[in-house]
Structure formats: C-alpha cells, structure tokens
Amino acid sequence: MGSFVALDVIPIGVPGLHLQNPYFQEALKGVADLGDINGNLEKMLDLQPDLIVTGVKDDQARYEQLSKIAPTIAVPFGELKNAHEELSYFGKLLGKEKEAEAWLANYDHRVAAAKEKVRKVIPADASITILETADKSTYVYGDNFGRGGQAIYQALGFKPPAQVAPKIMEKQWAELSGELLPQYAGDYIILTSNNRTLEDLKADPIWGSLDAIKNNRVYIWKEERSWYFDPIAVLSQTEELAAWLTSLK
C-alpha cells in the first residue's frame, strides 16, 4: 500500500489494516474500508475498480472471484524483498517508472545519511535482534517481516547474532522459549510490545539477565508503529531507529 501512496496513486478501497498505517494515514482519508486483509467482495463490487491488487495467490477460487470483479494482480506476502523491489515493481505496473526512480533516489540518500550517523556511534559488527512479545509468547524476526527488521538489517546493515542469523533469515520468524531467548539476544534489541517497559524487563528473571537489557540497549515500540514494512514505513522507521542508536553513549 505504501508504494501506491509513494507514487501518488491513491486507491478507492483498501483493507482496514492499511487505513490504520500511521505512516500515511492522512493520505488515505476518504478511502473505503474493505474489511479484513482479504477484502469484502461485495464492497469491492460496489466500488467498480479498474484493477485489484491482492496478496492472495494460492487460493485459486478466491483469485477467480476477484478476477470477475476486475483485472487482478497477485503479489504474495513477502515476495517483494525490499523498497527497491517494491517501488520498481509497482512503478512499472502503474506506468510510474520515473516517479519510482525519483522516490528511491531520495530514499537511498536519506538511508545513507542515517547509516553514516549510526556508524559513528555503533560498531558495524554489533549484533541487533528484532523481537516481539505478545501475551506470554516471544517472537524473533528477520529482514522482511516488519517489526523494524527492514530498517535494521537492510537499510542500516546490521545483523543478528551470528550463531542464529541463518535460522532467523531463512524462516523470517520463530517463536522463542525463555530458555532460547539468551541465544538469540544481540548486543541491542528492537522490541515490539504494547505493554512491557524497560523497568518491567529488568525485573524479569530471563529478560533481566540479557546484556542489552542491563545496559539499556533496547528500543521498545508498539505494534502500530513496527508492524508495517512498506517503503514509506521502512524509511521512517530507519530514521527513527537511527536517531535512537545515535543517542546511545
């Protein structure tokens, strides 16, 4: 969705989750809410779109239903690996190649500036782990599954701890037991949590044993800011996380 906004192509309807994206919420004012991530067929039919873009690919019956409403393009979740792939793909699809090139040139410039600032403060070989807590579960993420992974691993060029990096990057996510958490915790932690605080983590027997927690090298943000990983979100997250990293002593 962020690629459409970046290319100044505002859709007539999107799933509600996209309407809640804080990085371009203003741009989608007045856009119809299509319900859950799959989209409500009746609402789409009422809107009479010229084109439907969906993440549904393996569900042939669903794809055929959508195709009866309008020409349908399927782009499966995670297939486009980064901002360049995504903007280039949609720029070509929408006849906005020049606009995509211009947006990506600005993106590269801002990312490079953020990376240069961070490198003056944080060693290039420092390990950073992307984690999320939800209820009583803890999850770890790779470089193409939101939660800041694109910003940290792709844009800023950091890596997870070497001994677990292949596992993380291959599957892109995994649920961790308390016993495994110390193996996955890097020198720095980017943590998505709607209710945990640094003080809370320090008091926890497992979390409190991690060097990153002991030394206040953890960035905690809520899911509403970390979940999205469209190009606009990734650029904003990169600069946000770079500002935090450069503030550390």
PDB file of all heavy atoms in Angstrom, residues 26-49:
ATOM      1  N   GLU A  26      -3.017   9.986   6.736  1.00  0.00           N
ATOM      2  CA  GLU A  26      -3.644  11.190   6.194  1.00  0.00           C
ATOM      3  C   GLU A  26      -3.938  11.038   4.704  1.00  0.00           C
ATOM      4  O   GLU A  26      -4.957  11.517   4.214  1.00  0.00           O
ATOM      5  CB  GLU A  26      -2.730  12.395   6.428  1.00  0.00           C
ATOM      6  CG  GLU A  26      -2.689  12.893   7.866  1.00  0.00           C
ATOM      7  CD  GLU A  26      -4.025  13.446   8.331  1.00  0.00           C
ATOM      8  OE1 GLU A  26      -4.643  14.214   7.562  1.00  0.00           O
ATOM      9  OE2 GLU A  26      -4.462  13.085   9.441  1.00  0.00           O
ATOM     10  N   ALA A  27      -3.043  10.375   3.984  1.00  0.00           N
ATOM     11  CA  ALA A  27      -3.208  10.233   2.534  1.00  0.00           C
ATOM     12  C   ALA A  27      -4.404   9.371   2.166  1.00  0.00           C
ATOM     13  O   ALA A  27      -4.905   9.438   1.042  1.00  0.00           O
ATOM     14  CB  ALA A  27      -1.934   9.651   1.915  1.00  0.00           C
ATOM     15  N   LEU A  28      -4.871   8.549   3.114  1.00  0.00           N
ATOM     16  CA  LEU A  28      -5.964   7.616   2.825  1.00  0.00           C
ATOM     17  C   LEU A  28      -7.316   8.076   3.375  1.00  0.00           C
ATOM     18  O   LEU A  28      -8.259   7.299   3.419  1.00  0.00           O
ATOM     19  CB  LEU A  28      -5.621   6.230   3.380  1.00  0.00           C
ATOM     20  CG  LEU A  28      -4.385   5.554   2.773  1.00  0.00           C
ATOM     21  CD1 LEU A  28      -4.199   4.168   3.365  1.00  0.00           C
ATOM     22  CD2 LEU A  28      -4.484   5.465   1.253  1.00  0.00           C
ATOM     23  N   LYS A  29      -7.390   9.318   3.776  1.00  0.00           N
ATOM     24  CA  LYS A  29      -8.672   9.834   4.260  1.00  0.00           C
ATOM     25  C   LYS A  29      -9.710   9.766   3.143  1.00  0.00           C
ATOM     26  O   LYS A  29      -9.477  10.219   2.023  1.00  0.00           O
ATOM     27  CB  LYS A  29      -8.522  11.282   4.747  1.00  0.00           C
ATOM     28  CG  LYS A  29      -7.974  11.394   6.152  1.00  0.00           C
ATOM     29  CD  LYS A  29      -8.080  12.815   6.681  1.00  0.00           C
ATOM     30  CE  LYS A  29      -7.689  12.878   8.146  1.00  0.00           C
ATOM     31  NZ  LYS A  29      -7.768  14.258   8.679  1.00  0.00           N
ATOM     32  N   GLY A  30     -10.857   9.190   3.466  1.00  0.00           N
ATOM     33  CA  GLY A  30     -11.919   9.065   2.482  1.00  0.00           C
ATOM     34  C   GLY A  30     -11.875   7.804   1.655  1.00  0.00           C
ATOM     35  O   GLY A  30     -12.816   7.514   0.905  1.00  0.00           O
ATOM     36  N   VAL A  31     -10.804   7.003   1.789  1.00  0.00           N
ATOM     37  CA  VAL A  31     -10.701   5.739   1.063  1.00  0.00           C
ATOM     38  C   VAL A  31     -11.586   4.694   1.738  1.00  0.00           C
ATOM     39  O   VAL A  31     -11.621   4.599   2.968  1.00  0.00           O
ATOM     40  CB  VAL A  31      -9.233   5.251   1.020  1.00  0.00           C
ATOM     41  CG1 VAL A  31      -9.139   3.860   0.414  1.00  0.00           C
ATOM     42  CG2 VAL A  31      -8.381   6.234   0.233  1.00  0.00           C
ATOM     43  N   ALA A  32     -12.292   3.907   0.959  1.00  0.00           N
ATOM     44  CA  ALA A  32     -13.233   2.922   1.501  1.00  0.00           C
ATOM     45  C   ALA A  32     -12.515   1.798   2.243  1.00  0.00           C
ATOM     46  O   ALA A  32     -11.463   1.326   1.814  1.00  0.00           O
ATOM     47  CB  ALA A  32     -14.078   2.331   0.371  1.00  0.00           C
ATOM     48  N   ASP A  33     -13.104   1.386   3.356  1.00  0.00           N
ATOM     49  CA  ASP A  33     -12.589   0.279   4.166  1.00  0.00           C
ATOM     50  C   ASP A  33     -13.174  -1.027   3.626  1.00  0.00           C
ATOM     51  O   ASP A  33     -14.385  -1.228   3.647  1.00  0.00           O
ATOM     52  CB  ASP A  33     -12.999   0.489   5.624  1.00  0.00           C
ATOM     53  CG  ASP A  33     -12.388  -0.542   6.569  1.00  0.00           C
ATOM     54  OD1 ASP A  33     -11.928  -1.599   6.103  1.00  0.00           O
ATOM     55  OD2 ASP A  33     -12.391  -0.295   7.790  1.00  0.00           O
ATOM     56  N   LEU A  34     -12.298  -1.925   3.173  1.00  0.00           N
ATOM     57  CA  LEU A  34     -12.750  -3.190   2.587  1.00  0.00           C
ATOM     58  C   LEU A  34     -12.823  -4.323   3.601  1.00  0.00           C
ATOM     59  O   LEU A  34     -12.998  -5.487   3.231  1.00  0.00           O
ATOM     60  CB  LEU A  34     -11.818  -3.591   1.439  1.00  0.00           C
ATOM     61  CG  LEU A  34     -11.789  -2.639   0.245  1.00  0.00           C
ATOM     62  CD1 LEU A  34     -10.820  -3.145  -0.798  1.00  0.00           C
ATOM     63  CD2 LEU A  34     -13.183  -2.478  -0.356  1.00  0.00           C
ATOM     64  N   GLY A  35     -12.642  -4.020   4.879  1.00  0.00           N
ATOM     65  CA  GLY A  35     -12.742  -5.061   5.900  1.00  0.00           C
ATOM     66  C   GLY A  35     -11.406  -5.710   6.190  1.00  0.00           C
ATOM     67  O   GLY A  35     -10.381  -5.031   6.252  1.00  0.00           O
ATOM     68  N   ASP A  36     -11.398  -7.041   6.346  1.00  0.00           N
ATOM     69  CA  ASP A  36     -10.158  -7.733   6.711  1.00  0.00           C
ATOM     70  C   ASP A  36      -9.192  -7.760   5.531  1.00  0.00           C
ATOM     71  O   ASP A  36      -9.466  -7.228   4.458  1.00  0.00           O
ATOM     72  CB  ASP A  36     -10.437  -9.141   7.251  1.00  0.00           C
ATOM     73  CG  ASP A  36     -11.000 -10.084   6.195  1.00  0.00           C
ATOM     74  OD1 ASP A  36     -10.805  -9.840   4.990  1.00  0.00           O
ATOM     75  OD2 ASP A  36     -11.638 -11.084   6.580  1.00  0.00           O
ATOM     76  N   ILE A  37      -8.046  -8.388   5.739  1.00  0.00           N
ATOM     77  CA  ILE A  37      -6.952  -8.320   4.775  1.00  0.00           C
ATOM     78  C   ILE A  37      -7.319  -8.911   3.418  1.00  0.00           C
ATOM     79  O   ILE A  37      -6.751  -8.548   2.382  1.00  0.00           O
ATOM     80  CB  ILE A  37      -5.688  -9.018   5.348  1.00  0.00           C
ATOM     81  CG1 ILE A  37      -4.438  -8.564   4.578  1.00  0.00           C
ATOM     82  CG2 ILE A  37      -5.858 -10.532   5.344  1.00  0.00           C
ATOM     83  CD1 ILE A  37      -4.098  -7.116   4.756  1.00  0.00           C
ATOM     84  N   ASN A  38      -8.296  -9.820   3.372  1.00  0.00           N
ATOM     85  CA  ASN A  38      -8.715 -10.415   2.104  1.00  0.00           C
ATOM     86  C   ASN A  38      -9.645  -9.508   1.310  1.00  0.00           C
ATOM     87  O   ASN A  38      -9.742  -9.616   0.092  1.00  0.00           O
ATOM     88  CB  ASN A  38      -9.408 -11.758   2.346  1.00  0.00           C
ATOM     89  CG  ASN A  38      -8.435 -12.819   2.812  1.00  0.00           C
ATOM     90  OD1 ASN A  38      -7.329 -12.925   2.300  1.00  0.00           O
ATOM     91  ND2 ASN A  38      -8.847 -13.598   3.797  1.00  0.00           N
ATOM     92  N   GLY A  39     -10.332  -8.619   2.004  1.00  0.00           N
ATOM     93  CA  GLY A  39     -11.240  -7.708   1.326  1.00  0.00           C
ATOM     94  C   GLY A  39     -12.637  -8.289   1.169  1.00  0.00           C
ATOM     95  O   GLY A  39     -12.803  -9.473   0.911  1.00  0.00           O
ATOM     96  N   ASN A  40     -13.614  -7.442   1.342  1.00  0.00           N
ATOM     97  CA  ASN A  40     -15.012  -7.846   1.210  1.00  0.00           C
ATOM     98  C   ASN A  40     -15.433  -7.769  -0.260  1.00  0.00           C
ATOM     99  O   ASN A  40     -15.362  -6.711  -0.889  1.00  0.00           O
ATOM    100  CB  ASN A  40     -15.887  -6.927   2.075  1.00  0.00           C
ATOM    101  CG  ASN A  40     -17.351  -7.295   2.013  1.00  0.00           C
ATOM    102  OD1 ASN A  40     -18.034  -7.020   1.033  1.00  0.00           O
ATOM    103  ND2 ASN A  40     -17.839  -7.941   3.064  1.00  0.00           N
ATOM    104  N   LEU A  41     -15.876  -8.892  -0.802  1.00  0.00           N
ATOM    105  CA  LEU A  41     -16.202  -8.961  -2.230  1.00  0.00           C
ATOM    106  C   LEU A  41     -17.337  -8.015  -2.614  1.00  0.00           C
ATOM    107  O   LEU A  41     -17.289  -7.359  -3.661  1.00  0.00           O
ATOM    108  CB  LEU A  41     -16.566 -10.392  -2.608  1.00  0.00           C
ATOM    109  CG  LEU A  41     -15.422 -11.407  -2.587  1.00  0.00           C
ATOM    110  CD1 LEU A  41     -15.963 -12.808  -2.826  1.00  0.00           C
ATOM    111  CD2 LEU A  41     -14.362 -11.060  -3.629  1.00  0.00           C
ATOM    112  N   GLU A  42     -18.355  -7.928  -1.781  1.00  0.00           N
ATOM    113  CA  GLU A  42     -19.495  -7.059  -2.098  1.00  0.00           C
ATOM    114  C   GLU A  42     -19.073  -5.592  -2.144  1.00  0.00           C
ATOM    115  O   GLU A  42     -19.502  -4.835  -3.019  1.00  0.00           O
ATOM    116  CB  GLU A  42     -20.613  -7.266  -1.067  1.00  0.00           C
ATOM    117  CG  GLU A  42     -21.290  -8.616  -1.170  1.00  0.00           C
ATOM    118  CD  GLU A  42     -22.462  -8.750  -0.204  1.00  0.00           C
ATOM    119  OE1 GLU A  42     -22.777  -7.756   0.487  1.00  0.00           O
ATOM    120  OE2 GLU A  42     -23.057  -9.840  -0.158  1.00  0.00           O
ATOM    121  N   LYS A  43     -18.229  -5.195  -1.194  1.00  0.00           N
ATOM    122  CA  LYS A  43     -17.750  -3.815  -1.188  1.00  0.00           C
ATOM    123  C   LYS A  43     -16.915  -3.518  -2.425  1.00  0.00           C
ATOM    124  O   LYS A  43     -17.006  -2.448  -3.025  1.00  0.00           O
ATOM    125  CB  LYS A  43     -16.942  -3.543   0.081  1.00  0.00           C
ATOM    126  CG  LYS A  43     -17.782  -3.477   1.353  1.00  0.00           C
ATOM    127  CD  LYS A  43     -16.922  -3.144   2.567  1.00  0.00           C
ATOM    128  CE  LYS A  43     -17.775  -3.055   3.822  1.00  0.00           C
ATOM    129  NZ  LYS A  43     -16.961  -2.734   5.029  1.00  0.00           N
ATOM    130  N   MET A  44     -16.065  -4.473  -2.803  1.00  0.00           N
ATOM    131  CA  MET A  44     -15.252  -4.276  -3.997  1.00  0.00           C
ATOM    132  C   MET A  44     -16.116  -4.172  -5.240  1.00  0.00           C
ATOM    133  O   MET A  44     -15.861  -3.359  -6.138  1.00  0.00           O
ATOM    134  CB  MET A  44     -14.247  -5.423  -4.131  1.00  0.00           C
ATOM    135  CG  MET A  44     -13.039  -5.285  -3.230  1.00  0.00           C
ATOM    136  SD  MET A  44     -11.768  -6.522  -3.577  1.00  0.00           S
ATOM    137  CE  MET A  44     -12.289  -7.826  -2.477  1.00  0.00           C
ATOM    138  N   LEU A  45     -17.150  -4.986  -5.305  1.00  0.00           N
ATOM    139  CA  LEU A  45     -18.057  -4.958  -6.452  1.00  0.00           C
ATOM    140  C   LEU A  45     -18.754  -3.607  -6.548  1.00  0.00           C
ATOM    141  O   LEU A  45     -18.886  -3.028  -7.632  1.00  0.00           O
ATOM    142  CB  LEU A  45     -19.083  -6.086  -6.323  1.00  0.00           C
ATOM    143  CG  LEU A  45     -19.982  -6.344  -7.530  1.00  0.00           C
ATOM    144  CD1 LEU A  45     -19.150  -6.705  -8.752  1.00  0.00           C
ATOM    145  CD2 LEU A  45     -20.963  -7.465  -7.211  1.00  0.00           C
ATOM    146  N   ASP A  46     -19.150  -3.076  -5.411  1.00  0.00           N
ATOM    147  CA  ASP A  46     -19.818  -1.771  -5.376  1.00  0.00           C
ATOM    148  C   ASP A  46     -18.896  -0.649  -5.852  1.00  0.00           C
ATOM    149  O   ASP A  46     -19.344   0.316  -6.490  1.00  0.00           O
ATOM    150  CB  ASP A  46     -20.306  -1.454  -3.963  1.00  0.00           C
ATOM    151  CG  ASP A  46     -21.481  -2.325  -3.536  1.00  0.00           C
ATOM    152  OD1 ASP A  46     -22.130  -2.901  -4.428  1.00  0.00           O
ATOM    153  OD2 ASP A  46     -21.746  -2.428  -2.328  1.00  0.00           O
ATOM    154  N   LEU A  47     -17.600  -0.770  -5.565  1.00  0.00           N
ATOM    155  CA  LEU A  47     -16.646   0.277  -5.930  1.00  0.00           C
ATOM    156  C   LEU A  47     -16.291   0.266  -7.414  1.00  0.00           C
ATOM    157  O   LEU A  47     -15.805   1.260  -7.949  1.00  0.00           O
ATOM    158  CB  LEU A  47     -15.362   0.127  -5.108  1.00  0.00           C
ATOM    159  CG  LEU A  47     -15.473   0.449  -3.614  1.00  0.00           C
ATOM    160  CD1 LEU A  47     -14.194   0.076  -2.891  1.00  0.00           C
ATOM    161  CD2 LEU A  47     -15.793   1.925  -3.408  1.00  0.00           C
ATOM    162  N   GLN A  48     -16.531  -0.846  -8.092  1.00  0.00           N
ATOM    163  CA  GLN A  48     -16.253  -0.992  -9.528  1.00  0.00           C
ATOM    164  C   GLN A  48     -14.819  -0.564  -9.876  1.00  0.00           C
ATOM    165  O   GLN A  48     -14.599   0.349 -10.679  1.00  0.00           O
ATOM    166  CB  GLN A  48     -17.257  -0.177 -10.357  1.00  0.00           C
ATOM    167  CG  GLN A  48     -18.697  -0.642 -10.177  1.00  0.00           C
ATOM    168  CD  GLN A  48     -19.665   0.127 -11.044  1.00  0.00           C
ATOM    169  OE1 GLN A  48     -19.418   1.267 -11.445  1.00  0.00           O
ATOM    170  NE2 GLN A  48     -20.782  -0.491 -11.363  1.00  0.00           N
ATOM    171  N   PRO A  49     -13.825  -1.220  -9.308  1.00  0.00           N
ATOM    172  CA  PRO A  49     -12.432  -0.831  -9.569  1.00  0.00           C
ATOM    173  C   PRO A  49     -11.978  -1.219 -10.976  1.00  0.00           C
ATOM    174  O   PRO A  49     -12.553  -2.096 -11.619  1.00  0.00           O
ATOM    175  CB  PRO A  49     -11.653  -1.635  -8.514  1.00  0.00           C
ATOM    176  CG  PRO A  49     -12.485  -2.866  -8.315  1.00  0.00           C
ATOM    177  CD  PRO A  49     -13.917  -2.387  -8.401  1.00  0.00           C
TER     178      PRO A  49
END
